[in-house]
């Protein structure tokens, strides 16, 4: 299962285990059980502190538990955790073996203190795909919770391995999380976000803690490339810098491959996002992650304090503010889209594509992202129909030629998607209008992947700073907005070409402009 290089690397990692760990497998006669046995035996052979046995009695087979020897720790994989989940496996082994996690002490104490009102255990199930780059964050967060708190249990389930259960539960997107048998969440979730959902007192404690912070010289809203670059540049000036973000990394967390960031020939989005955060944390920056911003109140007079109000009620103050809120996938806005999100309507082909193996799907959007999605999906699903509103595809010629060479792809241009249909539980089709003839057509399919561009995250700024008709923050050449002391950078602004490298440069520029504003404006 493991090649020589991975075995050598894993052996080195396993040397960090302080307490004996057991791998307890529940197997059947499927070929995947034999593969799981082989993997666990290989891991056990790499460390005298890891042992494997195959007498587990869990009904979902094949699966295996990772537990401290002599204990019943609630960490389980109903999967052969290779691909993107191999890191999740390694971290679970280390944490079960007593290696300290790289998590804030406050979060660790919050996890250990979690209890349910009725005394029941918190039992999480995460449905994931081994090709999903969003899933590991969820799996690793819930595994850590299960390691730290004996009343928490978690199983990570490979949807491709348990297809019958996927059909029974109508799971159409990954990651999908259930808590005690009930839907809990879908999509990427970080540890703090999960804790906020299960710990009802967390929001009030957070608000009190954040509201007590002293004013910042530069307060940055958003943790993507623009926000991270702004934080680094501001901190290097030796001024008090804070960054508040809903999720650090922004859109890069949803990007599989990055090949155009100069000096980095190739990396993956989650890895790039982790590097952004690590770089910011290397400086004296107050990082406030997992926080949604609700409102901005610019300073009443030059040199005064602007106020950033969070969704939990806390207020943060800053002599200057840099808005780097980024953008999100644009929705079609047609009947059925909201109803069937995560039930056949999807936005990430890399994550959710494997769930549609052998089925018919559509991709809406003929730009680079849409054509790339169609090419990706064509290797997994039975058939892909690509729909483009304009009279020709807008993607690069090399991508269009590749798409047209695929035997299981149909392309419709001048096609206006008017409705996504379903049976009340999941998607069963799509209706589009031929814009040339006006005739409507219906396609029977199981999934619709929407790839029609981005919309800036600026709704909360209406009436505060000038916005373009597209909702972008209007900025000048220095990144200044219409409000004194308020700057903006990245995909949320009117700067053309929404690219990672451009956003990072804009963030640096906004920080330098904010510093220039500070040294020229007396504090009040």
């Amino acid at each position: 299962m493991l090649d020589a290089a991975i075995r050598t690397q894993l052996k080195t990692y396993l040397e960090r285990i302080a307490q004996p760990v057991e791998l307890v497998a529940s197997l059947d006669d499927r070929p995947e059980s034999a593969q799981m046995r082989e993997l666990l035996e290989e891991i056990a052979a790499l460390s005298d502190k890891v042992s494997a046995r195959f007498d587990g009695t869990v009904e979902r087979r094949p699966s295996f538990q990772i537990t401290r020897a002599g204990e019943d720790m609630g960490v389980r994989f109903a999967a052969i955790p290779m691909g993107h989940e191999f890191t999740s496996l390694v971290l679970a082994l280390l944490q079960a073996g007593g290696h300290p996690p790289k998590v804030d002490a406050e979060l660790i104490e919050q996890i250990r203190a979690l209890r349910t009102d009725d005394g029941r255990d918190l039992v999480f199930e995460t449905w994931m795909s081994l090709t999903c780059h969003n899933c590991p964050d969820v799996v690793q967060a819930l595994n850590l919770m299960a390691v730290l708190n004996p009343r928490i249990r978690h199983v990570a389930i490979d949807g491709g391995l348990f297809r019958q259960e996927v059909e029974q539960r109508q799971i159409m997107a990954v990651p999908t999380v259930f808590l005690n048998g009930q839907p809990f969440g879908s999509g990427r979730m970080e540890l703090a976000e999960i804790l906020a959902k299960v710990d009802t007192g967390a929001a009030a404690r957070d608000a009190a803690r954040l509201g007590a912070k002293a004013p910042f010289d530069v307060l940055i809203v958003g943790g993507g490339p623009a926000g991270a670059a702004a934080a680094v540049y501001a901190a290097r000036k030796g001024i008090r810098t804070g960054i508040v973000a809903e999720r650090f990394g922004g859109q890069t967390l949803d990007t599989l491959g990055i090949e155009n960031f100069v000096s980095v020939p190739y990396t993956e989005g989650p890895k790039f996002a982790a590097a952004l955060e690590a770089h910011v944390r290397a400086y004296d920056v107050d990082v406030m992650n997992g926080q949604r911003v609700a409102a901005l109140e610019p300073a009443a007079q030059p040199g005064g304090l602007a106020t950033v109000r969070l969704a939990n009620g806390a207020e943060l103050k800053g002599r200057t503010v840099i808005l780097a809120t980024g953008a999100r996938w644009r929705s079609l806005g047609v009947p059925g889209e909201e109803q069937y999100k995560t039930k056949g309507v999807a936005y990430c082909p890399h994550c959710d594509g494997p769930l549609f193996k052998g089925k018919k799907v559509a991709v809406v959007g003929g730009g680079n992202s849409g054509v790339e999605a169609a090419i990706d999906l064509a290797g997994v699903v039975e058939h892909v129909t690509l729909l483009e509103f304009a009279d020709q595809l807008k993607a690069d010629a090399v991508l269009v030629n590749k798409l047209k060479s695929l035997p299981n792809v149909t392309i419709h241009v001048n096609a206006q998607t008017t409705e996504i249909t379903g049976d009340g539980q999941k998607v069963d089709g799509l209706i589009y209008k031929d814009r040339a003839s006006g005739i409507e057509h219906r396609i029977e399919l199981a999934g619709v992947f929407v790839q029609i561009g981005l919309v800036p995250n600026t709704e909360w700024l209406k009436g505060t700073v000038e916005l373009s008709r597209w909702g972008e923050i209007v900025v000048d050449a220095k990144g200044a907005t219409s409000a004194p002391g308020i700057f903006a950078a990245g995909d949320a602004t009117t700067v053309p070409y929404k690219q990672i490298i451009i956003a990072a440069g804009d963030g640096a520029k906004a920080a330098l402009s904010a510093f220039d504003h500070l040294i020229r404006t007396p504090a009040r």
Side-chain angles (χ1 to χ4, degrees):
M1 290 289 293
L2 305 177
D3 62 33
I6 292 178
R7 280 198 301 271
T8 300
Q9 189 176 22
L10 181 56
K11 182 179 176 64
T12 301
Y13 280 124
L14 295 180
E15 290 174 358
R16 303 176 186 178
I17 291 178
Q19 302 174 54
V21 172
E22 278 190 335
L23 307 174
V24 184
S26 300
L27 305 178
D28 56 18
D29 57 0
R30 288 201 283 171
E32 290 84 359
S33 284
Q35 295 172 17
M36 184 174 288
R37 175 186 282 270
E38 180 183 352
L39 174 63
L40 300 186
E41 287 177 339
E42 285 190 41
I43 294 172
L46 295 175
S47 172
D48 58 4
K49 286 190 170 65
V50 180
S51 61
R53 55 189 179 89
F54 305 94
D55 56 354
T57 58
V58 174
E59 289 186 10
R60 188 183 280 121
R61 298 165 183 257
S63 67
F64 67 95
Q65 179 187 21
I66 299 177
T67 184
R68 210 163 284 147
E71 299 183 22
D72 182 26
M73 193 171 283
V75 179
R76 178 172 294 276
F77 285 93
I80 302 170
M82 302 300 288
H84 287 296
E85 292 298 340
F86 187 69
T87 299
S88 302
L89 169 63
V90 175
L91 286 174
L93 288 166
L94 295 179
Q95 291 162 1
H99 186 70
K102 294 181 179 179
V103 176
D104 290 344
E106 289 181 1
L107 290 180
I108 291 175
E109 290 308 310
Q110 186 179 355
I111 293 168
R112 287 175 170 156
L114 277 178
R115 296 290 185 274
T116 56
D117 294 337
D118 57 8
R120 290 191 303 163
D121 286 356
L122 293 165
V123 180
F124 291 94
E125 298 169 291
T126 300
W127 294 86
M128 52 80 170
S129 164
L130 299 180
T131 61
C132 168
H133 59 282
N134 288 324
C135 295
D137 278 358
V138 178
V139 171
Q140 290 164 24
L142 290 169
N143 280 347
L144 176 60
M145 290 170 62
V147 167
L148 295 174
N149 189 326
R151 303 305 303 270
I152 299 175
R153 311 193 74 79
H154 175 236
V155 56
I157 308 162
D158 178 6
L161 196 54
F162 295 92
R163 297 200 63 83
Q164 186 174 353
E165 285 191 66
V166 167
E167 296 292 337
Q168 288 173 348
R169 295 213 190 184
Q170 299 292 321
I171 294 167
M172 308 290 287
V174 290
T176 291
V177 182
F178 285 76
L179 171 58
N180 292 338
Q182 299 300 313
F184 176 79
S186 182
R188 179 186 291 275
M189 291 181 286
E190 296 184 349
L191 178 59
E193 183 180 354
I194 294 170
L195 287 172
K197 292 186 71 170
V198 294
D199 185 355
T200 55
R205 293 195 303 272
D206 253 2
R209 176 177 59 84
L210 293 170
K213 291 181 179 291
F216 295 94
D217 292 314
V218 176
L219 178 58
I220 300 151
V221 181
V232 169
Y233 267 72
R236 286 172 61 86
K237 293 296 185 181
I239 56 180
R240 179 167 163 72
T241 304
I243 182 168
V244 58
E246 191 168 350
R247 57 174 194 159
F248 215 102
Q251 293 174 63
T252 63
L253 290 166
D254 303 321
T255 305
L256 184 60
I258 298 172
E259 300 176 315
N260 56 356
F261 194 86
V262 179
S263 83
V264 182
Y266 178 82
T267 186
E268 294 183 347
K271 184 183 295 185
F272 186 86
L276 288 178
E277 185 169 1
H279 196 171
V280 170
R281 289 185 182 275
Y283 289 93
D284 187 15
V285 177
D286 190 339
V287 178
M288 296 161 279
N289 203 6
Q291 302 295 333
R292 179 174 295 180
V293 175
L296 168 67
E297 183 182 329
Q301 55 185 332
L305 295 175
T307 301
V308 170
R309 190 169 297 108
L310 305 184
N312 63 14
E315 291 186 349
L316 301 171
K317 305 285 187 179
R319 291 183 61 200
T320 61
V321 173
I322 297 174
L323 303 170
T325 51
R328 63 188 183 276
W329 289 114
R330 186 181 298 276
S331 296
L332 285 167
V334 301
E337 182 179 20
E338 284 297 323
Q339 180 181 356
Y340 293 109
K341 276 185 178 178
T342 75
K343 296 298 181 183
V345 175
Y347 300 84
C348 180
H350 308 294
C351 304
D352 300 332
L355 297 176
F356 295 87
K357 184 176 182 180
K359 298 180 180 180
K360 296 178 181 178
V361 303
V363 173
V364 182
N368 281 348
S369 60
V371 172
E372 287 172 351
I375 294 170
D376 186 17
L377 290 165
V380 178
V381 305
E382 177 187 342
H383 188 271
V384 179
T385 300
L386 185 138
L387 303 166
E388 165 56 36
F389 184 86
D391 59 2
Q392 61 183 346
L393 300 182
K394 296 171 287 188
D396 297 340
V398 63
L399 295 175
V400 173
N401 292 337
K402 172 64 176 177
L403 182 69
K404 290 180 176 179
S405 74
L406 301 175
N408 62 334
V409 174
T410 300
I411 301 169
H412 295 295
V413 295
N414 262 335
Q416 179 181 357
T417 302
T418 58
E419 184 178 356
I420 296 171
T421 64
D423 60 7
Q425 299 295 321
K426 62 183 185 299
V427 167
D428 65 13
L430 176 148
I431 297 173
Y432 75 92
K433 182 175 71 175
D434 185 320
R435 296 175 58 237
S437 67
I439 298 174
E440 283 198 336
H441 302 270
R442 185 179 188 278
I443 308 170
E444 292 187 0
L445 40 76
V448 178
F449 289 81
V450 181
Q451 302 281 290
I452 57 171
L454 301 169
V455 59
N457 296 316
T458 58
E459 294 86 350
W460 61 284
L461 290 167
K462 289 180 180 178
T464 304
V465 295
E466 183 184 357
L467 303 178
S468 73
R469 66 191 182 100
W470 306 111
E472 300 165 317
I473 304 167
V474 177
V475 293
D476 66 13
K478 293 185 177 181
T481 72
S482 59
I486 309 297
F487 301 84
D491 288 3
T493 74
T494 50
V495 171
Y497 310 119
K498 313 305 186 186
Q499 298 290 310
I500 294 173
I501 197 163
I502 292 173
D506 279 352
K509 179 170 62 178
L512 294 173
S513 296
F515 179 72
D516 184 69
H517 176 86
L518 288 170
I519 62 177
R520 295 173 185 275
T521 308
R524 291 183 182 272

